[in-house]
Amino acid sequence: MEEPRNYDHQHPLLLLNEDQLIVADCSMCGVKVSTPCFSCAQDCGFYLHKVCAEPPLELNHPFHPHHPLLLMQNAPYSSGLYICNLCHLKGNNFVYHCSCDLDFHIKCALFTFNISENHLKELEHVALQHPLICPKSGDRELEDGAKCFLCCEPLANYTYFSLDCGFNLHKKCAKLSFKLNHVEQFSCKICGETSGKGLGFIYGCSPCKFAAHLKCVSAALDLVIGDKRHEHPFSLFPRGSSFICDACGIEGSYASYICCTCNIMVHKKCTSLPRIIKSKWHDHHLFHKYFLRIEDFRVLDCIMCNYEVSTDYGSYYCSECDVILHVKCAMKDKDSYEIVENEDEVPNESSIIVIERNNAGEATKVTHFMHMHNLMLGPFVGGYENSCEGCMLPITDPFYYCTECVFFLHKACAELPKMKNVWRHRCREPLALISYKGIWCEQCWQISNTFAYECSECESQICLRCVIALTPGARTCLKHEHPLFFYRDYKGQCNACGFTTRWAGGAFCCKDCNFVLHLRCFSLPITVRHKCDEHLLSLTNHDDNSYSENHYCDICEKSRHPNRWFYHCAKCDTSAHVDCVLEKYPFLKLGSIYEETGHPHALTIVKKKYNYPDCDECSKPCKDVALECSESECKYIVHWNCVAPYPLKWPSRWDM
């Protein structure tokens, strides 16, 4: 055998036999070698796969027909690293490089070259893998996410080749005709999906802008499709022009399927759309329907993207909440929904058990798992000066109250489920409803000890005010005539406080005008009590008084902006800044027990207004919210800030 090129290596190379054990990496491709292979005669650690020993110095690869690929010992980049355009893995060894910044691992380049030229005998050194064996671990189950490079179907479906560099290919795909292009961002004319990273190679004609996935071309199209989720069969109807799919509302062409009974035309993939799904972002089942009567819905905006949903095409909807989603939005992320087989399945366990209902079917007597007594549906005379135990906002209709103790819950707060997927929360698992635990809300950054949802994965908490505000759908707001929609990444000036949105909190925005509210401002209490006035103060969005000397705060006696929101009493003409009224801890429930300290007795949350005692920690007067020992003989009292955990101190970490 002719000696291989040594690529400037100073010593000759020897061919090692198959009975020798080698533990080393190939100096050409960086992958572990096995015999037979070439080794440096001087044993200096230079090894070459037998396949890597004779690669051409210049390669005219069919995947890149316009320029030759040159074999280089190092990539021509300052870091010396490159990313293979075939397997997307990094490398720092020999590379096939093109001046247009295209880089291929040696194994990837030669492997695909031999396949495209139909030199399958050259691949005898690559072992075929059984579908149930993982090429990396050797386990009997294939690793998650392993897919064929060309058709992007799971490797587990068929016998396949698998290179150590991560390049995987079905044996059946290796036999395909490789007159193809890797066309960016073309839509497959058969299935309608967009090409690009993660969707595999495509057959394409650039002049005609025609593209089709390998799996759509190589597999024969079914002439008739029957699916249990649709009562009638779909028949193949080839087309010479585009059409709009009645199931999803997205354009398709060249291959459509028609249900002659229902007179609907759909993509092949849409013939098997699930009829019922459970979305991570909604508490009830969502039903797929091809056409909706516009009078059935008050709001026709998709709760995912906030754009209008056409009733002329299919969508997913919730009949209980009057919410609607585009099909592409409901099924955009496979981890965000699951198919529901049993229509009677209850999505989430309710927090209440209904004991009695009125003639209209409304629950009038219930039990809540957070309270020991039965709760009655209001109205209740004398209860309106109290706050909701769930959100700490003033009680308004409709609400539940306890006949045996002072306990009130808004109806919306009471009916929230025990476990809930909170909109936009990063973790997959539902959050659990908790109460009376000091929390720092990750959404509005407020400190509270009311009801909240807690994540078992990241241990973060979200208060009920934010959970309700972030529940998808249009929202109305203080004296604003148009509905508002939440946008996570929006950055702009808030109409309530005048500050620009910051961090990743997002904002509620109006699509009809330039009205914007921070989540924190959106959740402000509409009415609130303060010692500066005997009446309830109402949140106001504009001061009609034209005299600038009247634009001041009755609490801090400083000026205020007439177009920034403030609290006002019309009877007494009292006006005050929002922060002056709410103060440091507006959502800590006074009189409740707090036990998360080192004190041996339970502590009660109090607010000292007169005769301020000295704090047992810092010796300064306790003028505001403090923790007082519940044992009468113990005179222990401390500032909240002196003993609360770091995230619960004021100012919070986001306000500093």
Side-chain angles (χ1 to χ4, degrees):
M1 177 180 176
E2 186 177 322
E3 286 190 1
R5 293 189 294 271
N6 61 5
Y7 300 96
D8 297 327
H9 189 65
Q10 64 268 34
H11 307 134
L13 302 179
L14 301 177
L15 180 63
L16 300 182
N17 296 323
E18 295 186 6
D19 57 351
Q20 294 178 265
L21 179 64
I22 303 297
V23 181
D25 294 335
C26 175
S27 300
M28 180 73 72
C29 68
V31 178
K32 288 184 179 181
V33 296
S34 57
T35 54
C37 66
F38 288 96
S39 172
C40 175
Q42 299 296 322
D43 196 23
C44 67
F46 188 87
Y47 292 89
L48 289 178
H49 286 113
K50 193 174 180 181
V51 178
C52 295
E54 292 291 339
L57 297 177
E58 183 176 296
L59 187 65
N60 294 309
H61 202 292
F63 286 4
H64 192 64
H66 304 298
H67 309 111
L69 303 176
L70 302 180
L71 183 62
M72 304 179 68
Q73 187 169 356
N74 298 104
Y77 309 118
S78 58
S79 65
L81 296 173
Y82 65 91
I83 297 179
C84 175
N85 290 87
L86 286 169
C87 70
H88 305 295
L89 296 179
K90 291 181 180 179
N92 58 359
N93 300 92
F94 282 78
V95 59
Y96 275 106
H97 175 77
C98 178
S99 57
C100 59
D101 290 339
L102 188 79
D103 300 293
F104 290 165
H105 287 125
I106 285 183
K107 276 199 169 186
C108 291
L110 297 179
F111 184 61
T112 52
F113 177 82
N114 288 329
I115 290 173
S116 61
E117 296 296 313
N118 204 22
H119 296 163
L120 297 184
K121 288 186 177 181
E122 303 293 334
L123 301 178
E124 291 179 353
H125 66 282
V126 182
L128 284 172
Q129 302 286 338
H130 188 276
L132 297 180
I133 299 179
C134 175
K136 294 183 180 178
S137 66
D139 295 336
R140 294 296 295 174
E141 292 186 3
L142 193 65
E143 60 183 1
D144 292 340
K147 294 182 179 180
C148 173
F149 172 72
L150 287 177
C151 70
C152 280
E153 290 185 1
L155 292 181
N157 292 353
Y158 311 97
T159 305
Y160 60 93
F161 297 97
S162 184
L163 295 186
D164 293 331
C165 57
F167 192 96
N168 305 315
L169 188 69
H170 288 132
K171 181 182 178 182
K172 68 181 183 68
C173 292
K175 298 180 180 180
L176 291 173
S177 172
F178 273 72
K179 298 288 184 180
L180 52 81
N181 291 316
H182 195 189
V183 186
E184 296 292 336
Q185 297 303 313
F186 275 5
S187 294
C188 175
K189 297 300 182 181
I190 295 177
C191 73
E193 291 185 359
T194 302
S195 69
K197 184 177 178 180
L199 289 176
F201 269 46
I202 61 172
Y203 284 109
C205 175
S206 297
C208 301
K209 294 186 176 181
F210 177 92
H213 294 126
L214 300 183
K215 62 181 180 181
C216 295
V217 174
S218 59
L221 290 172
D222 298 315
L223 297 180
V224 178
I225 294 178
D227 192 278
K228 64 180 181 180
R229 296 183 179 90
H230 189 73
E231 55 185 332
H232 312 122
F234 289 93
S235 301
L236 176 64
F237 182 71
R239 298 179 56 86
S241 60
S242 62
F243 69 96
I244 302 298
C245 175
D246 288 320
C248 67
I250 299 176
E251 183 179 6
S253 57
Y254 292 95
S256 62
Y257 283 83
I258 292 180
C259 173
C260 298
T261 305
C262 302
N263 195 27
I264 55 177
M265 184 180 297
V266 299
H267 297 119
K268 180 181 180 180
K269 63 178 181 180
C270 291
T271 59
S272 58
L273 278 178
R275 190 175 71 88
I276 309 173
I277 63 173
K278 171 64 178 71
S279 173
K280 175 180 177 179
W281 313 121
H282 194 66
D283 292 328
H284 306 130
H285 291 156
L286 298 171
F287 293 78
H288 180 265
K289 193 167 184 177
Y290 283 95
F291 308 106
L292 294 171
R293 296 178 302 174
I294 193 168
E295 58 268 20
D296 290 342
F297 285 84
R298 294 188 295 272
V299 179
L300 290 173
D301 293 304
C302 174
I303 65 173
M304 293 287 288
C305 67
N306 295 333
Y307 288 105
E308 185 177 356
V309 178
S310 173
T311 55
D312 294 332
Y313 306 108
S315 58
Y316 279 99
Y317 76 103
C318 173
S319 58
E320 295 188 47
C321 306
D322 281 350
V323 299
I324 191 169
L325 294 89
H326 294 113
V327 170
K328 64 178 181 179
C329 293
M331 311 188 75
K332 184 177 182 179
D333 181 359
K334 66 178 182 180
D335 293 328
S336 67
Y337 76 93
E338 58 187 38
I339 298 174
V340 177
E341 300 291 349
N342 181 10
E343 185 173 341
D344 297 327
E345 175 188 336
V346 179
N348 289 305
E349 184 181 359
S350 176
S351 296
I352 63 173
I353 298 175
V354 178
I355 300 175
E356 294 179 3
R357 295 182 183 273
N358 58 20
N359 293 335
E362 195 174 28
T364 56
K365 186 177 182 180
V366 301
T367 59
H368 193 280
F369 81 105
M370 292 287 191
H371 192 64
M372 65 182 74
H373 306 136
N374 294 336
L375 302 178
M376 304 297 296
L377 185 66
F380 172 67
V381 178
Y384 294 97
E385 70 275 7
N386 293 286
S387 299
C388 172
E389 294 284 335
C391 64
M392 275 295 290
L393 297 180
I395 280 294
T396 54
D397 285 329
F399 68 94
Y400 289 104
Y401 68 95
C402 179
T403 58
E404 300 185 44
C405 61
V406 182
F407 184 91
F408 296 85
L409 274 179
H410 291 122
K411 191 171 185 289
C413 296
E415 293 177 349
L416 288 170
K418 292 182 179 179
M419 304 292 295
K420 183 177 177 63
N421 288 108
V422 177
W423 182 251
R424 304 287 185 179
H425 184 67
R426 56 190 172 274
C427 301
R428 292 187 58 182
E429 294 302 317
L431 281 68
L433 185 62
I434 61 172
S435 69
Y436 309 122
K437 176 182 178 181
I439 72 155
W440 179 84
C441 177
E442 70 166 16
Q443 295 292 338
C444 67
W445 317 323
Q446 292 280 13
I447 298 166
S448 67
N449 65 333
T450 56
F451 287 11
Y453 279 94
E454 184 174 49
C455 178
S456 60
E457 292 185 34
C458 65
E459 298 184 350
S460 62
Q461 297 109 4
I462 304 175
C463 69
L464 250 58
R465 296 179 304 281
C466 290
V467 168
I468 294 173
L470 291 174
T471 299
R475 295 286 181 272
T476 56
C477 188
L478 185 69
K479 296 183 180 178
H480 191 71
E481 58 182 332
H482 308 133
L484 302 178
F485 298 88
F486 185 73
Y487 295 85
R488 167 63 68 193
D489 300 321
Y490 183 87
K491 293 183 179 180
Q493 190 180 52
C494 172
N495 286 69
C497 65
F499 293 108
T500 301
T501 54
R502 55 179 179 163
W503 310 109
F508 286 89
C509 307
C510 178
K511 295 195 293 185
D512 299 307
C513 59
N514 296 323
F515 187 82
V516 178
L517 287 179
H518 293 150
L519 171 60
R520 191 169 186 172
C521 293
F522 179 88
S523 301
L524 287 173
I526 302 300
T527 58
V528 68
R529 287 191 177 277
H530 192 273
K531 62 183 179 181
C532 70
D533 197 287
E534 61 178 325
H535 308 110
L536 283 175
L537 299 175
S538 299
L539 188 63
T540 307
N541 62 348
H542 180 71
D543 196 337
D544 294 328
N545 196 321
S546 59
Y547 295 100
S548 59
E549 59 267 22
N550 291 325
H551 300 153
Y552 68 93
C553 174
D554 285 302
I555 297 176
C556 68
E557 298 183 349
K558 294 180 180 180
S559 63
R560 57 179 179 80
H561 197 292
N563 292 324
R564 299 292 175 250
W565 289 14
F566 62 99
Y567 282 103
H568 181 69
C569 174
K571 294 181 180 179
C572 304
D573 198 23
T574 301
S575 300
H577 293 123
V578 168
D579 288 340
C580 290
V581 173
L582 297 181
E583 299 178 314
K584 296 179 182 179
Y585 308 104
F587 302 113
L588 281 179
K589 183 173 177 58
L590 300 180
S592 60
I593 299 297
Y594 185 80
E595 298 179 342
E596 299 174 38
T597 67
H599 190 68
H601 309 139
L603 301 180
T604 304
I605 300 176
V606 297
K607 187 173 184 179
K608 293 298 182 181
K609 300 180 181 179
Y610 312 101
N611 302 323
Y612 313 120
D614 291 338
C615 172
D616 282 282
E617 291 288 332
C618 68
S619 300
K620 295 180 181 179
C622 292
K623 294 183 178 181
D624 198 359
V625 173
L627 293 170
E628 189 175 53
C629 184
S630 57
E631 299 288 335
S632 58
E633 63 275 9
C634 181
K635 303 300 181 182
Y636 180 80
I637 185 170
V638 290
H639 290 115
W640 172 271
N641 259 22
C642 288
V643 294
Y646 169 67
L648 303 184
K649 293 181 183 291
W650 189 94
S652 73
R653 53 191 172 190
W654 294 103
D655 292 323
M656 298 180 68

